Amino acid sequence: EMITSTYNIAISTCDKAGERAQAVALLRDMQGHLVESDTITYSAVISACAKSGAWVEVVNLLQEMATSHMMATSHTNTITWNASISVCATGGKWSEALALLADMQTRDVGTNTITYNSAINACAKGEQWRAALQLLGDMATSRVDMDTISFNSALSACGSSSRWELISALLVDMSRKIVE
């Protein structure tokens, strides 16, 4: 619809300008005027919130989006969920990042290397080495490609928790699994 696309352009402009509050206000204005929002709308608002580190708002918006009519398992949704996990990692909210990953899987939203890397990074920042290693194992089980970021984040989690014995094992595993 033309009105939706006009709002989306305005919200995307707010996102690019770093105007989180204005992006959220435009979304609420859409809802107040019964203008239908879509995945693009929510993705732009979530992006604006993520850039400002407003992880609580990001999680709330994602849940709002997830419970709406937009919950198709599209590539855009994966990107939006990944951004949400990433902002939780940036904010040091590892348990929220893991909850979002679990919610993605429950809702059959496709996960990818970026999804897992963001969650492993959140675990590393929270010094949750067991969870980081579990996610690395889940990547292998789910046949999600691991990359150097996957291993570096897991190594960081082990290092920050002084799990030195695991670091050498991870380095050996990394050299076997990653071919660049």
Side-chain angles (χ1 to χ4, degrees):
E1 185 173 298
M2 188 173 200
I3 295 173
T4 300
S5 62
T6 303
Y7 269 101
N8 287 348
I9 290 167
I11 292 170
S12 293
T13 302
C14 292
D15 173 26
K16 290 180 178 114
E19 295 292 333
R20 173 188 60 85
Q22 188 61 37
V24 173
L26 284 169
L27 171 64
R28 299 305 174 216
D29 189 58
M30 285 177 80
Q31 293 166 335
H33 288 94
L34 303 177
V35 175
E36 188 173 331
S37 54
D38 58 19
T39 304
I40 295 167
T41 310
Y42 274 90
S43 294
V45 176
I46 287 170
S47 176
C49 293
K51 287 176 183 172
S52 69
W55 69 270
V56 172
E57 204 158 17
V58 166
V59 171
N60 289 338
L61 286 164
L62 184 65
Q63 295 304 324
E64 186 178 310
M65 179 183 159
T67 57
S68 73
H69 62 283
M70 291 169 246
M71 212 40 237
T73 59
S74 71
H75 180 66
T76 303
N77 279 340
T78 299
I79 292 169
T80 304
W81 284 80
N82 287 350
S84 301
I85 292 171
S86 182
V87 77
C88 287
T90 301
K93 304 299 179 185
W94 65 271
S95 62
E96 288 83 354
L98 294 181
L100 287 175
L101 174 59
D103 203 14
M104 274 181 87
Q105 293 166 332
T106 300
R107 295 175 188 275
D108 283 333
V109 177
T111 58
N112 58 27
T113 303
I114 295 168
T115 310
Y116 280 94
N117 286 352
S118 296
I120 293 169
N121 183 39
C123 292
K125 289 184 178 189
E127 298 183 2
Q128 300 298 313
W129 64 270
R130 285 184 182 94
L133 294 179
Q134 178 64 51
L135 288 170
L136 206 57
D138 291 350
M139 288 178 82
T141 304
S142 301
R143 300 189 189 278
V144 174
D145 292 333
M146 295 177 207
D147 61 13
T148 53
I149 295 169
S150 312
F151 282 98
N152 286 345
S153 294
L155 286 166
S156 177
C158 292
S160 65
S161 300
S162 301
R163 302 302 302 203
W164 310 115
E165 72 283 2
L166 297 174
I167 291 175
S168 60
L170 272 174
L171 288 170
V172 169
D173 197 31
M174 183 173 89
S175 65
R176 284 189 317 210
K177 290 184 179 167
I178 295 182
V179 179
E180 295 185 303

